[in-house]
Coordinates of all heavy atoms in Angstrom, one line a residue:
T58 N 7.9 -6.2 -4.4 CA 8.2 -4.8 -4.1 C 7.3 -3.9 -4.9 O 6.6 -4.3 -5.8 CB 9.7 -4.5 -4.4 OG1 9.9 -4.5 -5.8 CG2 10.6 -5.5 -3.7
L59 N 7.5 -2.6 -4.6 CA 6.8 -1.6 -5.4 C 7.7 -0.9 -6.3 O 7.6 0.3 -6.6 CB 6.1 -0.6 -4.4 CG 5.1 -1.1 -3.4 CD1 4.7 0.0 -2.4 CD2 3.9 -1.6 -4.1
L60 N 8.6 -1.6 -6.9 CA 9.7 -1.0 -7.7 C 9.1 -0.4 -9.0 O 9.6 0.7 -9.4 CB 10.7 -2.1 -8.1 CG 11.9 -1.7 -8.9 CD1 12.7 -0.7 -8.1 CD2 12.7 -2.9 -9.4
D61 N 8.0 -1.0 -9.6 CA 7.5 -0.4 -10.8 C 6.9 1.0 -10.6 O 6.9 1.8 -11.5 CB 6.4 -1.3 -11.3 CG 6.9 -2.7 -11.7 OD1 8.1 -2.7 -12.0 OD2 6.2 -3.7 -11.8
F62 N 6.4 1.3 -9.4 CA 5.8 2.6 -9.1 C 6.8 3.6 -8.8 O 6.5 4.8 -8.6 CB 4.8 2.4 -8.0 CG 3.6 1.5 -8.3 CD1 3.7 0.2 -7.8 CD2 2.6 1.9 -9.1 CE1 2.6 -0.7 -8.1 CE2 1.5 1.0 -9.4 CZ 1.6 -0.3 -8.9
R63 N 8.0 3.2 -8.6 CA 9.1 4.2 -8.3 C 9.5 5.0 -9.6 O 9.9 6.1 -9.6 CB 10.3 3.5 -7.7 CG 11.5 4.4 -7.4 CD 11.1 5.6 -6.4 NE 10.7 5.0 -5.1 CZ 11.5 4.9 -4.1 NH1 12.7 5.1 -4.2 NH2 11.0 4.4 -3.0
F64 N 9.4 4.3 -10.8 CA 9.8 5.0 -12.0 C 8.7 5.6 -12.8 O 8.9 6.5 -13.6 CB 10.5 3.9 -12.9 CG 11.7 3.3 -12.3 CD1 11.6 2.0 -11.8 CD2 12.9 4.0 -12.1 CE1 12.7 1.4 -11.2 CE2 14.0 3.4 -11.5 CZ 13.9 2.1 -11.0
K65 N 7.5 5.1 -12.6 CA 6.3 5.7 -13.3 C 5.4 6.2 -12.2 O 4.9 5.3 -11.4 CB 5.6 4.8 -14.2 CG 4.5 5.4 -15.0 CD 3.8 4.4 -16.0 CE 2.7 5.1 -16.7 NZ 2.0 4.2 -17.7
R66 N 5.1 7.5 -12.1 CA 4.3 8.0 -11.0 C 3.0 8.6 -11.4 O 2.2 9.0 -10.5 CB 5.1 9.2 -10.3 CG 6.5 8.7 -9.8 CD 7.2 9.8 -9.2 NE 8.5 9.4 -8.6 CZ 8.7 9.0 -7.3 NH1 7.6 9.0 -6.5 NH2 9.8 8.6 -6.9
E67 N 2.6 8.5 -12.7 CA 1.3 9.0 -13.1 C 0.6 7.9 -13.9 O 1.2 7.3 -14.8 CB 1.4 10.3 -13.9 CG 1.7 11.5 -13.1 CD 1.5 12.8 -13.9 OE1 0.9 12.8 -15.0 OE2 2.0 13.9 -13.4
Y68 N -0.6 7.7 -13.6 CA -1.4 6.7 -14.4 C -2.8 7.3 -14.7 O -3.5 7.8 -13.8 CB -1.6 5.4 -13.5 CG -0.3 4.7 -13.2 CD1 0.4 5.1 -12.1 CD2 0.2 3.7 -14.0 CE1 1.6 4.4 -11.8 CE2 1.4 3.1 -13.7 CZ 2.1 3.4 -12.6 OH 3.3 2.8 -12.3
R69 N -3.1 7.3 -16.0 CA -4.3 7.9 -16.5 C -5.1 6.9 -17.3 O -4.5 6.3 -18.3 CB -4.1 9.2 -17.3 CG -3.4 10.2 -16.5 CD -3.1 11.5 -17.3 NE -2.4 12.5 -16.5 CZ -3.0 13.4 -15.8 NH1 -4.3 13.4 -15.8 NH2 -2.3 14.3 -15.1
A70 N -6.3 6.6 -17.0 CA -7.2 5.7 -17.8 C -7.8 6.5 -19.0 O -7.8 7.7 -19.0 CB -8.3 5.2 -16.9
R71 N -8.2 5.8 -20.0 CA -8.8 6.4 -21.2 C -10.2 6.9 -20.9 O -10.9 6.5 -20.1 CB -8.9 5.3 -22.3 CG -7.5 4.8 -22.8 CD -7.7 3.9 -23.9 NE -6.4 3.5 -24.5 CZ -5.7 4.1 -25.4 NH1 -6.2 5.2 -25.9 NH2 -4.6 3.7 -25.9
N72 N -10.5 8.0 -21.7 CA -11.8 8.6 -21.6 C -12.8 7.8 -22.4 O -12.5 7.1 -23.4 CB -11.8 10.0 -22.2 CG -10.8 10.9 -21.4 OD1 -10.6 10.7 -20.2 ND2 -10.3 11.9 -22.0
G73 N -14.1 7.9 -22.1 CA -15.1 7.2 -22.8 C -15.4 8.0 -24.2 O -15.2 9.2 -24.3
E74 N -15.8 7.3 -25.2 CA -16.1 7.9 -26.5 C -17.4 8.7 -26.4 O -18.3 8.3 -25.7 CB -16.2 6.8 -27.6 CG -14.9 6.1 -27.9 CD -15.0 5.2 -29.1 OE1 -16.1 5.0 -29.6 OE2 -14.0 4.6 -29.5
P75 N -17.4 9.8 -27.2 CA -18.7 10.6 -27.2 C -19.7 9.8 -28.0 O -19.4 9.0 -28.9 CB -18.3 11.9 -27.9 CG -17.0 11.5 -28.7 CD -16.3 10.4 -27.9
G76 N -21.0 10.2 -27.8 CA -22.1 9.6 -28.6 C -22.1 10.1 -30.0 O -21.5 11.2 -30.3
R77 N -22.8 9.4 -30.9 CA -22.9 9.8 -32.3 C -24.3 9.8 -32.7 O -25.2 9.4 -31.9 CB -22.1 8.8 -33.1 CG -20.6 8.9 -32.9 CD -19.8 7.9 -33.8 NE -20.1 6.5 -33.5 CZ -19.5 5.8 -32.5 NH1 -18.5 6.4 -31.9 NH2 -19.8 4.6 -32.3
G78 N -24.5 10.3 -33.9 CA -25.9 10.3 -34.5 C -26.4 8.9 -34.8 O -25.6 7.9 -34.6
R79 N -27.6 8.8 -35.2 CA -28.3 7.5 -35.6 C -28.4 6.6 -34.4 O -28.2 5.3 -34.5 CB -27.6 6.8 -36.7 CG -27.5 7.6 -38.0 CD -26.9 6.9 -39.2 NE -26.9 7.6 -40.4 CZ -26.4 7.2 -41.6 NH1 -25.9 6.0 -41.6 NH2 -26.4 8.0 -42.6
D80 N -28.6 7.2 -33.2 CA -28.8 6.4 -32.0 C -27.5 5.6 -31.6 O -27.7 4.5 -31.0 CB -30.0 5.5 -32.0 CG -31.3 6.3 -32.3 OD1 -31.3 7.5 -32.0 OD2 -32.2 5.7 -32.8
Q81 N -26.3 6.0 -31.9 CA -25.1 5.3 -31.7 C -24.5 5.8 -30.4 O -24.1 6.9 -30.3 CB -24.1 5.4 -32.8 CG -24.6 4.8 -34.1 CD -23.6 5.0 -35.2 OE1 -22.4 5.1 -35.0 NE2 -24.1 5.0 -36.5

Side-chain angles (χ1 to χ4, degrees):
T58 72
L59 299 173
L60 183 63
D61 296 338
F62 299 97
R63 179 59 62 92
F64 301 106
K65 185 178 179 181
R66 297 178 180 270
E67 288 193 11
Y68 296 88
R69 299 179 181 273
R71 292 183 177 274
N72 299 332
E74 291 186 356
R77 295 181 291 273
R79 299 184 180 181
D80 301 338
Q81 298 180 24

